[in-house]
Amino acid sequence: SQTIHQWPATLVQPVGSPLSLECTVEGTSNPNLYWYRQAAGRGLQLLFYSVGIGQISSEVPQNLSASRPQDRQFILSSKKLLLSDSGFYLCAWSAQGLDQPQHFGDGTRLSIL
Amino acid sequence: AQTVTQSQPEMSVQEAETVTLSCTYDTSESDYYLFWYKQPPSRQMILVIRQEAYKQQNATENRFSVNFQKAAKSFSLKISDSQLGDAAMYFCAYRALFTSGTYKYIFGTGTRLKVLA
């Protein structure tokens, strides 16, 4: 069966420090991969999505970047974190096909001090 | 542009009773899928139910069912015999093939459901 792993679960970082959140998927190949941010009590904002290795699309201009170095690995990064980067980050994958739901990781709670 | 609207930020239901959460969407596509996700306090996103736009029959999963009105672009979720474990944030989501050749999801802003004992 397919599983998605996202880490770390919680992260506290100072302003100006770098960031690296990692997400890996097991049990499937060529998944669509997504990074979302969720502000407290709010909906999901799509940050990045990827349909293949090295293929990244950005939804909103921001201080973050994403990379997909391997088929089932998706990384969210920043060179210098801002206070506004605080939030709950969710990684998700889906199979190809219109009927395929998204499957989410457990999320990372990022606090910027 | 496709949009998903959940007009009820918060709803309450008595345990064992029935509640309906509303969702409307806007699209010019003819084929798409709609989903309801549940996010409990643990914040894990859990798929509740899905509906294909071409299917007239409303989807059902145990105590969860949808009322899909394609012409009205409405996709409401009905929870029967509500349980304390149903308390969560519920998100409506739309999925379609975009011009970029990618399947993307658009989520509503969510409805927080409280279940009263």
Side-chain angles (χ1 to χ4, degrees):
Chain A
S1 63
Q2 301 92 351
T3 55
I4 179 169
H5 303 281
Q6 184 183 343
W7 67 93
T10 306
L11 190 60
V12 180
Q13 292 283 96
V15 169
S17 63
L19 172 73
S20 181
L21 303 181
E22 191 161 340
C23 174
T24 59
V25 181
E26 296 177 357
T28 188
S29 59
N30 195 31
N32 290 334
L33 296 171
Y34 308 81
W35 277 111
Y36 291 90
R37 176 166 57 202
Q38 185 179 25
R42 305 290 297 276
L44 297 173
Q45 179 188 34
L46 178 63
L47 301 176
F48 301 95
Y49 66 91
S50 171
V51 299
I53 296 175
Q55 300 179 61
I56 309 294
S57 296
S58 174
E59 285 295 292
V60 294
Q62 59 207 314
N63 185 43
L64 303 168
S65 62
S67 62
R68 185 171 177 172
Q70 300 181 47
D71 181 46
R72 291 168 289 177
Q73 184 184 27
F74 205 24
I75 299 172
L76 184 69
S77 304
S78 174
K79 293 182 179 177
K80 281 188 175 182
L81 286 167
L82 307 172
L83 282 174
S84 58
D85 292 323
S86 292
F88 188 67
Y89 290 81
L90 282 160
C91 180
W93 75 273
S94 71
Q96 304 295 333
L98 183 61
D99 64 328
Q100 297 299 309
Q102 282 189 319
H103 306 277
F104 289 83
D106 290 339
T108 296
R109 187 179 306 279
L110 176 63
S111 300
I112 310 300
L113 303 178
Chain B
Q2 293 88 345
T3 58
V4 176
T5 302
Q6 293 180 251
S7 59
Q8 306 154 315
E10 191 170 293
M11 295 278 287
S12 295
V13 62
Q14 206 70 34
E15 198 175 4
E17 293 189 348
T18 296
V19 64
T20 299
L21 308 183
S22 301
C23 174
T24 58
Y25 58 95
D26 188 21
T27 184
S28 57
E29 299 291 330
S30 59
D31 195 17
Y32 49 88
Y33 267 77
L34 297 163
F35 303 86
W36 277 99
Y37 282 88
K38 168 185 177 181
Q39 188 181 41
S42 66
R43 304 199 78 171
Q44 185 180 18
M45 293 285 282
I46 302 166
L47 176 66
V48 175
I49 199 165
R50 79 180 90 174
Q51 174 80 43
E52 182 182 6
Y54 269 112
K55 286 189 176 178
Q56 293 185 343
Q57 186 175 6
N58 290 322
T60 300
E61 289 286 343
N62 300 315
R63 298 183 295 108
F64 298 88
S65 61
V66 300
N67 183 4
F68 175 49
Q69 302 290 330
K70 190 173 183 179
K73 295 180 182 174
S74 171
F75 182 58
S76 60
L77 175 69
K78 185 172 84 170
I79 306 174
S80 305
D81 185 25
S82 297
Q83 301 175 358
L84 294 177
D86 295 333
M89 185 77 103
Y90 286 82
F91 292 97
C92 178
Y94 161 96
R95 186 183 198 202
L97 180 61
F98 286 68
T99 53
S100 59
T102 304
Y103 294 107
K104 289 198 294 186
Y105 300 79
I106 299 174
F107 284 84
T109 52
T111 296
R112 183 172 301 282
L113 178 66
K114 295 184 177 180
V115 181
L116 308 173

